[in-house]
Amino acid sequence: MPKTVLAAAALAATAALVPAASASATAPASEAAATATRPLYLRGGLTLHLPASWKVYGKGDYVRVVTGRCVSPKGGWGAPECDSFWVFGPKALKHGRELFNPYTPEHPYYPATDVQLCPHNRKWGQILGEASVKGLRQVGPGHKAYYREWKATCVSYSTGTVKSRYVQREWYLPKTRVLVVDQWDTPGLAGVLRRATWR
């Protein structure tokens, strides 16, 4: 009888341990899937490690990273209604300011001479205002970017009525001549830039 009791107790203890071991074994796999990344190699040895669900379009000085819903992922700058951010190089920066002047971090990236489409709704126009935040942000170890948050509004073309507001975030690395522009407050982007690596 004591042997039977001992065997039952051992079996119960083993059964109790199996779900716990199984749960802990699957947790790292699901976490790994959630944090799976793929590299985006850029100028000067800069590498961004993007979430695997983000899609990259373009190459060289004009790269668009689509992070969600997008009507026209291969559309150029100003193509609206596309959850995304841009990574620009020297060719894009050459005419990256209003009136097609060279880009500087003292002015928002806006390669146009007129009112462009609102990034969130093609029925409206966008107006960029002053920078509400200016400073430096880490982009991988040993590199700092000029960081700006430009206040923006989307307005009715016919009446000028403000329809919505957003922030255009910019990270500019002057030595590498790389500019990241985000009009969607992309979740996780700041962390991706902080965790960037350099070759």
Side-chain angles (χ1 to χ4, degrees):
M1 188 72 172
K3 286 183 182 177
T4 308
V5 172
L6 284 174
L11 185 59
T14 303
L17 288 175
V18 170
S22 179
S24 65
T26 58
S30 62
E31 287 172 17
T35 59
T37 62
R38 61 177 175 176
L40 173 59
Y41 300 106
L42 300 168
R43 295 174 48 79
L46 173 60
T47 302
L48 303 183
H49 303 277
L50 305 177
S53 61
W54 293 2
K55 296 178 175 62
V56 177
Y57 297 88
K59 61 182 180 178
D61 293 342
Y62 299 88
V63 175
R64 187 175 212 170
V65 180
V66 175
T67 61
R69 178 184 164 277
C70 187
V71 172
S72 179
K74 295 182 181 178
W77 174 258
E81 298 166 7
C82 182
D83 292 9
S84 60
F85 64 90
W86 285 88
V87 183
F88 295 118
K91 287 181 183 176
L93 300 179
K94 189 175 180 181
H95 305 290
R97 184 177 154 198
E98 195 167 10
L99 304 177
F100 302 110
N101 288 309
Y103 172 83
T104 75
E106 298 313 310
H107 300 276
Y109 185 84
Y110 194 83
T113 59
D114 56 357
V115 177
Q116 295 291 287
L117 296 176
C118 170
H120 307 126
N121 189 322
R122 68 183 60 247
K123 295 178 182 177
W124 306 328
Q126 66 166 305
I127 299 174
L128 288 171
E130 296 298 316
S132 58
V133 175
K134 291 184 179 183
L136 298 173
R137 295 291 187 273
Q138 198 74 33
V139 178
H143 293 77
K144 298 264 189 183
Y146 288 105
Y147 177 73
R148 305 288 185 263
E149 291 185 3
W150 301 97
K151 293 179 180 178
T153 54
C154 291
V155 300
S156 164
Y157 275 112
S158 58
T159 66
T161 305
V162 174
K163 297 293 188 178
S164 68
R165 300 178 191 279
Y166 69 96
V167 171
Q168 178 166 306
R169 301 189 298 170
E170 299 179 3
W171 291 259
Y172 177 55
L173 293 154
K175 289 184 180 177
T176 316
R177 302 278 287 153
V178 167
L179 172 68
V180 176
V181 181
D182 176 30
Q183 297 175 313
W184 288 85
D185 195 20
T186 301
L189 177 56
V192 165
L193 293 170
R194 277 195 310 273
R195 293 187 296 272
T197 55
W198 296 81
R199 297 191 306 277

